[in-house]
Structure formats: structure tokens, C-alpha cells
Amino acid sequence: MAGVTSAAEPAAEVVKVTRAGAQPSTPGPAANFTGQVRVDTAFKAQAPGRAGGGIVTFEPGARTAWHSHPLGQTLLVTAGVGRVGQWNAASQEIRPGDVVWIAAGVKHWHGATRTNGMRHVAIAESLDGKTTDWMEQVSDTQYQ
Ligand code: MN
């Protein structure tokens, strides 16, 4: 019957659970972040899906470098207090429950405050296999 998955097809191709602990926590690479940053539960959709991301934890003072996303990005803040900054605009405080949308190509950063850590889920779709265009670090002056 068309459209019905037969028992012979591997169910893992339809629904795949990656178990907690199956992926080690990884540090945010120094080239793209300032301070202590940890990435957990990284995920990447299988084609034709494009979404990827993970849970990113920033210790106080930690932040991304300036960057942009070819198809935009959604951040779901889950813990702490943080900030999101846009080039040539004042940065904004973000707190748990906040949903942040960053439009395609907008130069920005996100991270903790000086005194509080922050955690968010980050989701971005890839264009030609790339979700992020990384730029220079956010200086202490820009972070103030
Ligand atoms: Mn971003």
C-alpha cells in the first residue's frame, strides 16, 4: 500500500532518537567565542531538512564573536540572563522564556552578561551546508 512503511524498512530512518549522553559536551571554539562556552545536544536535520543547532551555555562574560546566519536564527533562552547585540544598535537583555529571531544576514552576537551565565537553544537552517558566517570577536568595549 503506497505510503505505508513496510516492516522491512529500518525504523531509524523515520524516527531517530539520539540518547542523552551519546554526544560529549564540546567547548565553543576560541576562534568563534570569547570566554567559557559549552555546546550540548548538537543536532543537524537530515536532508531535505535544514535545521541544526544545539544548547549553548555561556559562563559570565562569555559571548559569541560577531556573526550572521544566511537563513536567520532562532534562540530560545532557557536559563540565566544574557544579551543579544546587533551591529550599530544597542544590545538587549534576554531572559528565560524569551524567543529571539535574528533575520538572515544581520550582523550580531549573543552571550551572557558580565555577572550571570546564560543558556539558550540555538536553531538555524543551513544554506549550501553553512549555518553561520563568523566575523571578528566582540571587543570588551562593544560588550559593555
Ligand atoms: Mn547567532
Side-chain angles (χ1 to χ4, degrees):
M1 191 174 171
V4 174
T5 301
S6 81
E9 292 177 62
E13 290 182 6
V14 180
V15 175
K16 179 184 177 187
V17 178
T18 302
R19 296 295 172 186
Q23 302 187 92
S25 300
T26 57
N32 302 337
F33 295 91
T34 297
Q36 291 287 327
V37 178
R38 190 178 84 240
V39 180
D40 291 288
T41 61
F43 68 93
K44 188 169 188 277
Q46 293 179 11
R50 293 179 162 201
I55 301 174
V56 189
T57 304
F58 301 80
E59 294 299 318
R63 67 268 190 182
T64 68
W66 289 103
H67 64 284
S68 65
H69 304 283
L71 295 179
Q73 181 180 48
T74 302
L75 305 176
L76 312 176
V77 184
T78 61
V81 185
R83 298 197 76 81
V84 59
Q86 181 183 344
W87 190 252
N88 284 334
S91 66
Q92 300 181 60
E93 187 173 279
I94 50 176
R95 290 177 171 271
D98 290 348
V99 178
V100 182
W101 164 247
I102 296 138
V106 171
K107 183 174 179 177
H108 71 285
W109 62 270
H110 26 109
T113 68
R114 282 205 180 283
T115 52
N116 289 85
M118 187 273 286
R119 177 175 297 141
H120 63 47
V121 178
I123 305 165
E125 292 169 288
S126 64
L127 180 65
D128 300 327
K130 191 171 61 172
T131 61
T132 306
D133 291 303
W134 290 104
M135 304 170 197
E136 74 276 15
Q137 297 285 358
V138 176
S139 71
D140 286 340
T141 305
Q142 292 169 328
Y143 182 61
Q144 292 287 2

